[in-house]
Amino acid sequence: MADTTAYIRVDQVGFAPGEAKTAYLMADRPLPFTVVDNRGRTMFRGTAGPDLGKWNDTYRHVYRLDLSRLRHPGTYRIKAGGQTSPTFTIAPPIALTEPAAKIMTFFGGQRDRWHKTDRAAYVYDWPTFTGPDTDQIKGDLTKIGGPVDVSGGWFDAGDYLKFTHILAYVDTLLWAAKRDGAIDPRLRGEAGHGLDFLDKMWDETSKTLYIQVGIGAGNEEGTFAGDHDIWRMPEEDDHSSEKYIRDRPVFRAAAPGQPISPNLAGRTAAAFALAAQVEPDRARARALLEKGASVYAMAKTENVGTLVTSLPHAFYPESVWRDDMELGGAELALAALRLGDRRAGEWLRASAHWAAEYLKHDAGGDTFNLYDVSALGHTDLVKAIRKTGAGRLPVTDRQLVADLKAQLDIGAARAGKDPFEAGAAYDQFDSVPHAFGLAATSRLYRSVSGDRSYDDFGTRQRGWALGANAWGVSFVSGVGANAITCPHYQMSNITGRPPTGAVVNGPNSASLFEGGLGGHMDRMNPCPASGLDRYAPFTGRGSRFVDDVRSWQASEPADDFAAVALYALTLMSRD
């Protein structure tokens, strides 16, 4: 008889022959286990251990399963306590390009092909919100300029808003993936699509950076609605009776010609500069470098105050910016070195300055994700320093490598206390992108240090995101036998089309669900159809995951989640 209190959790994609191979058993004792191939033949037997600790009051023990004896390519399952795991494969690292390709498909589906009114949109002053933690607007909007062409780009998440802050980060990672070995033939076109939108959002003539298209919510007076108020398909918007759904407002980072929030300047410059590093046409590459240089030169680096991200700021509450300036400078320097531009040394020194300032003011607080890009900045600055042999900089390559290691140690310390060896904090927002960020950092660190001691840790972080977690869920749609099925994603929910490649937030603080999930919006199809939360028994350690279309806290996909997952898989596919 099957032991219904035993569950096996494993990376549902699998492992390269030379990687560390770990699965987890939730059971009341260290049961024996068997690994079988796709024909049911026993490959080897073992006994679970050691006990990694308690998950919740039902699952008081989680045991590690060592699968390291598996090295022969094939498809396998694990059996223990009458339970059978999802399938996983042993395959060369290049096999990771398959889930990466699914994520590329997601980006194709996120393209904004529908909002024709964005071709002649009007610019508005920043709205006044009813409180610091709300997106509800007080009064009406005030038109201050336009029309401007802000068509194209990608929708940010499960909604239809577009943000420069997010898109610049995403496009940076897509170009980095292209440079660093991604083989998907669609990648250049997708990254170029993002860059075309950034080009529209940066007005070189007036030195204006536009930061957002659309508004999240309506106003407290109820005279207009916002994007989050209506569940619909994007092609309906141009004919909407709601004025700011039909004619979407555009907002700028600062007045024309005025300094720009440095996080925006740094990451936008990085996207242009990374494109310049891989553009085969040297004239085109030089033009891209000039655009990046122009944005970078507009950075406001004194009396910075609250960073500009989105309206409201609470949507994306970034507080660290020196990493963006380091990254932008490093990518400009690398592009300039490739093109023989004399300004390479100038940008190298700027990047090194901001890296030193980052180490002084910001290090030790976060790891690679939307809000901290220092892992990529450090890595590429090290490469630039070593290419030039530059000395007398305010930071050394050894210091930068040491901080990459320190970031991995943040995750490793957390993993050492966790039953599933997760390096991300899964009782907070963005656990899945943090896990993929740690996976990417393990390979970035190796690329500049030669040290492989964090490879196994990085592999486990990828595995956690792809099924080796308490819920046994792959947080990438269409990847793995038990992937998310009910994301908070309008186009998928309304049409019934699978959201292939969507990467969701994953588990979040259980406190965010205390008031329930609420009702279904008009036209929102219930998913799951039963309304049952089959993952409720696995709520633990202050965290909860709900695979439900209403569960924006856990199941909403976003471009930045997908981008860092794609980048991590790209780096790991080259192992």
Side-chain angles (χ1 to χ4, degrees):
M1 181 180 294
D3 183 347
T4 57
T5 63
Y7 289 93
I8 304 163
R9 307 309 196 198
V10 66
D11 181 332
Q12 294 167 28
V13 171
F15 312 90
E19 283 188 317
K21 304 173 189 69
T22 304
Y24 302 90
L25 175 68
M26 306 168 75
D28 60 6
R29 62 191 184 280
L31 300 170
F33 70 93
T34 303
V35 177
V36 300
D37 67 9
N38 62 343
R39 295 170 62 183
R41 297 176 300 185
T42 298
M43 306 308 294
F44 71 87
R45 303 178 189 274
T47 299
D51 187 349
L52 298 175
K54 173 183 175 181
W55 176 252
N56 61 21
D57 287 341
T58 301
Y59 303 102
R60 304 180 67 84
H61 306 277
V62 178
Y63 299 96
R64 184 189 292 135
L65 305 182
D66 183 2
L67 310 179
S68 58
R69 291 166 61 185
L70 277 178
R71 298 185 66 86
H72 191 272
T75 302
Y76 301 93
R77 292 170 293 156
I78 307 164
K79 294 177 177 288
Q83 304 295 317
T84 301
S85 76
T87 59
F88 62 95
T89 64
I90 305 298
I94 196 69
L96 291 175
T97 59
E98 293 183 19
K102 291 186 176 181
I103 294 172
M104 283 302 305
T105 297
F106 171 74
F107 277 112
Q110 285 289 91
R111 287 192 181 199
D112 185 0
R113 303 173 176 87
W114 313 108
H115 291 92
K116 303 299 188 291
T117 57
D118 284 357
R119 295 173 180 172
Y122 285 94
V123 183
Y124 290 79
D125 202 359
W126 287 14
T128 299
F129 296 97
T130 56
D133 298 317
T134 178
D135 58 348
Q136 186 182 62
I137 292 171
K138 192 179 183 71
D140 207 338
L141 301 180
T142 301
K143 187 184 297 184
I144 57 174
V148 293
D149 181 2
V150 291
S151 59
W154 301 297
F155 301 132
D156 171 52
D159 52 41
Y160 305 132
L161 300 177
K162 298 186 291 193
F163 299 107
T164 299
H165 174 252
I166 311 301
L167 197 140
Y169 168 82
V170 169
D171 210 45
T172 292
L173 294 189
L174 293 190
W175 286 115
K178 176 63 181 174
R179 180 195 65 185
D180 295 342
I183 62 174
D184 193 309
R186 297 170 294 174
L187 179 55
R188 177 178 290 277
E190 207 60 55
H193 177 76
L195 202 68
D196 288 345
F197 183 73
L198 286 179
D199 200 10
K200 292 179 179 180
M201 297 300 272
W202 170 241
D203 184 338
E204 174 66 35
T205 302
S206 66
K207 303 293 185 186
T208 303
L209 183 67
Y210 298 106
I211 60 167
Q212 181 171 332
V213 181
I215 51 174
N219 62 351
E220 67 175 338
E221 295 84 1
T223 59
F224 61 83
D227 187 274
H228 297 169
D229 297 325
I230 305 171
W231 195 259
R232 81 276 183 204
M233 292 294 288
E235 54 263 40
E236 300 169 23
D237 286 2
D238 280 358
H239 308 287
S240 174
S241 60
E242 291 287 346
K243 60 180 179 179
Y244 294 133
I245 298 292
R246 181 186 64 250
D247 300 309
R248 306 200 304 169
V250 182
F251 304 97
R252 61 193 188 190
Q258 293 302 303
I260 298 166
S261 190
N263 56 321
L264 289 169
R267 63 182 54 195
T268 303
F272 282 112
L274 268 158
Q277 292 174 37
V278 300
E279 171 57 50
D281 184 299
R282 294 182 74 82
R284 165 75 174 155
R286 284 190 287 270
L288 291 169
L289 176 61
E290 291 304 327
K291 289 178 181 179
S294 182
V295 179
Y296 193 72
M298 292 299 295
K300 179 182 181 181
T301 58
E302 296 182 1
N303 303 314
V304 173
T306 301
L307 296 180
V308 177
T309 57
S310 58
L311 300 172
H313 179 72
F315 276 173
Y316 291 104
E318 185 177 31
S319 60
V320 176
W321 57 270
R322 297 171 183 88
D323 57 318
D324 293 286
M325 291 297 292
E326 175 194 2
L327 176 63
E331 304 306 351
L332 288 166
L334 287 172
L337 287 169
R338 180 205 174 206
L339 297 169
D341 191 298
R342 294 179 181 178
R343 293 170 292 178
E346 171 190 334
W347 287 318
L348 178 65
R349 289 187 293 273
S351 179
H353 168 76
W354 292 118
E357 290 295 299
Y358 172 88
L359 294 179
K360 179 179 178 181
H361 297 283
D362 304 312
D366 203 354
T367 56
F368 191 14
N369 76 110
L370 173 68
Y371 301 115
D372 191 322
V373 295
S374 61
L376 181 56
H378 288 358
T379 301
D380 284 357
L381 178 54
V382 167
K383 292 176 181 177
I385 290 172
R386 291 176 180 173
K387 280 189 175 186
T388 60
R392 295 188 177 181
L393 294 172
V395 70
T396 66
D397 60 342
R398 293 182 65 180
Q399 288 174 302
L400 296 169
V401 171
D403 192 59
L404 284 169
K405 182 179 184 299
Q407 292 187 33
L408 290 167
D409 284 338
I410 291 172
R414 189 177 288 123
K417 301 174 183 177
D418 185 74
F420 293 91
E421 300 182 279
Y426 43 71
D427 60 350
Q428 300 176 21
F429 277 99
D430 297 0
S431 57
V432 169
H434 272 89
F436 278 119
L438 288 166
T441 303
S442 71
R443 273 37 178 191
L444 292 173
Y445 169 72
R446 186 221 290 173
S447 73
V448 291
S449 70
D451 180 4
R452 290 178 169 267
S453 61
Y454 289 89
D455 282 12
D456 293 356
F457 166 76
T459 299
R460 287 194 293 271
Q461 303 320 298
R462 183 191 77 213
W464 181 87
L466 295 175
N469 52 65
W471 301 269
V473 181
S474 167
F475 298 117
V476 183
S477 178
V479 175
N482 188 43
I484 54 151
T485 57
C486 296
H488 184 80
Y489 191 50
Q490 295 176 84
M491 290 185 285
S492 168
N493 177 256
I494 293 172
T495 64
R497 293 194 297 265
T500 301
V503 182
V504 300
N505 181 92
N508 211 328
S509 173
S511 65
L512 296 175
F513 300 90
E514 289 176 354
L517 298 178
H520 293 86
M521 297 178 68
D522 289 345
R523 297 181 63 191
M524 179 185 279
N525 294 311
C527 187
S530 67
L532 298 177
D533 177 10
R534 64 190 178 108
Y535 296 111
F538 307 109
T539 295
R541 293 202 165 208
S543 66
R544 183 178 175 188
F545 176 71
V546 185
D547 190 8
D548 190 298
V549 67
R550 296 168 294 170
S551 174
W552 61 269
Q553 307 94 320
S555 68
E556 184 172 19
D559 294 350
D560 62 293
F561 303 166
V564 73
L566 175 70
Y567 190 48
L569 292 169
T570 295
L571 296 176
M572 290 178 146
S573 71
R574 300 168 55 206
D575 281 0

